[in-house]
Amino acid sequence: MNLKNKTAIVTGGSLGIGAAIALKLAEYGANITIIDIKNKKETEPIISKIKKLGQKCIAYQADVSNYNNAA
């Protein structure tokens, strides 16, 4: 699968299944946007791994289960 020049949005991407999905998508060439309830410091390890794969990665802190959390 070639995801070069694509961007994937992964909710809950800082740990567990979400992190594994984010890494796999990055391995296929996608840039990654992580939206997670955890703060940036807690998300930094997965961001670093994705960047080491040569992909761009940014994280936003938000609770996607809470409509009032929308910006």
Side-chain angles (χ1 to χ4, degrees):
M1 182 178 344
N2 181 1
L3 297 177
K4 187 174 173 121
N5 299 318
K6 304 288 184 189
T7 300
I9 299 171
V10 180
T11 59
S14 66
L15 292 171
I17 294 170
I21 291 169
L23 281 172
K24 187 54 77 174
L25 290 168
E27 287 175 11
Y28 286 127
N31 295 312
I32 307 296
T33 299
I34 294 173
I35 301 173
D36 202 299
I37 199 166
K38 299 191 181 303
N39 65 38
K40 181 150 173 105
K41 184 178 178 185
E42 294 174 293
T43 310
E44 193 57 43
I46 192 68
I47 293 171
S48 293
K49 288 179 183 179
I50 291 168
K51 287 183 176 180
K52 284 181 184 176
L53 292 172
Q55 304 310 120
K56 295 177 186 174
C57 184
I58 190 165
Y60 294 98
Q61 184 179 8
D63 180 355
V64 297
S65 70
N66 182 348
Y67 177 79
N68 293 322
N69 194 282

